[in-house]
Amino acid sequence: FKNELKKFKDVPTKTKDGQEKLIEANIGSPTDVEGVIENGGEGIGLFRSEFLYMDNDHFPTEEEQFVAYKNVMESMNNKVVIIRTLDIGGDKKLSYFEFPHEMNPFLGYRAIRFSLDKKEIFRDQIRALLRASVFGQLGIMFPMIATVDEFKDAKAFVETCKKELDQENIAYDKNVQVGMMVEIPAAAVNADQFAKYADFFSIGTNDLVQYSMAADRMSEKVSYLYQPTNPSLLRLIKMTIDGGHAQNRWVGMCGEMAGDVQSIPLLMGLGLDAFSMSASSMLRARQLMSQIDMKDAEKLANKALQLETDEQVLALVDDFLNNLK
Ligand code: PEP
Ligand code: MG
């Protein structure tokens, strides 16, 4: 079985009818890159930079971050690398910084909200990213964007940092892409507005499901509500993809759903361009996509969008998968 999958290691991801898709990896540290290459990743769709901050006793300096980002960029050999700016708060805490006490940390002071409030910390990260951008194809991605103004503020701050680097004669890639996670329902619904400003979207279903269903992603008691393939989620995903495509932006997904065998045919049918997942899921996903015709996937997704329940969607997909063999 392993050998069967090996065939898919060094080939580009293609659907049965020859359409190109991208299969990328989620990583948390530069040492994860090895596994990405071993498993034929076509890029890094999500580098969760918070681990540089969490496995530390101080906010990492610009220089420390630069070295880490540069390492990843160089090892990926000119393939796309999307690095997400600090997504701290919620369940992710720092030993050297005291977060304000809040009733609902998942709805509180975290991620881009923190970065926009702490510009000196944000500056170190953006400068490190820009400096690393000359070593490959970098995308800078902001987490937990809820409003167009947040995205515009964050993007303007990148421009400010670019000007600083210009004045200091420090090189960066002028074409560095600046995009956002779509993981808050307000952003998914408004995707066509965000797409005017964002170079790309990456759908974060781990949080999008949590916030859409108002069900804590860590709580076992309400885990029955954790339904990525519920028609309501499929509709939010569709709005995001359509909104991005209307402005010619590519749309990826880096939530767990992107690597899930039952979800992949649906996501193909909804038009998703890039699938970012744990390295161990990549080859199986590439094999599966090679067995699916886009016309069939589109029919499947359209049917699913009209169903009432998650259970019905999963039954529909299982039937589809059984008929592939
Ligand atoms: C997500 O929310 O789907 C995501 C990829 O980010 P994280 O799991 O780090 O919150
Ligand atoms: Mg998230």
Side-chain angles (χ1 to χ4, degrees), residues 63-172:
E63 197 58 32
E64 286 166 341
Q65 292 187 65
F66 168 67
V67 171
Y69 302 150
K70 174 173 176 271
N71 274 343
V72 173
M73 305 281 301
E74 284 183 333
S75 345
M76 284 308 290
N77 231 331
N78 247 6
K79 295 191 169 103
V80 173
V81 176
I82 309 288
I83 303 181
R84 180 174 74 185
T85 64
L86 184 57
D87 184 4
I88 205 69
D91 57 327
K92 299 173 197 142
K93 298 282 190 277
L94 301 172
S95 59
Y96 50 89
F97 179 84
E98 182 132 16
F99 280 87
H101 182 73
E102 296 174 296
M103 292 281 281
N104 293 297
F106 274 107
L107 303 179
Y109 184 62
R110 56 172 298 200
I112 197 65
R113 303 163 183 187
F114 174 84
S115 294
L116 288 174
D117 185 48
K118 297 273 180 219
K119 290 277 174 46
E120 63 295 358
I121 293 165
F122 200 27
R123 170 178 284 106
D124 288 340
Q125 181 162 42
I126 298 295
R127 283 178 58 107
L129 287 167
L130 287 170
R131 286 172 56 197
S133 66
V134 297
F135 297 96
Q137 282 193 67
L138 176 68
I140 298 176
M141 176 157 79
F142 303 125
M144 300 293 296
I145 294 280
T147 70
V148 172
D149 282 336
E150 281 174 334
F151 185 80
K152 284 167 125 180
D153 286 352
K155 193 172 162 176
F157 190 69
V158 173
E159 291 305 312
T160 304
C161 293
K162 283 185 184 172
K163 290 211 182 80
E164 280 180 22
L165 294 177
D166 283 335
Q167 277 161 10
E168 297 164 39
N169 270 321
I170 299 174
Y172 59 87

Side-chain angles (χ1 to χ4, degrees), residues 9 25 27 61 101 124-125 144 156 178 215 221 224 303 324:
K9 187 182 157 203
I27 64 167
T61 64
H101 182 73
D124 288 340
Q125 181 162 42
M144 300 293 296
V178 182
K221 278 282 186 206
Y224 72 96
K303 267 193 210 159
L324 284 180

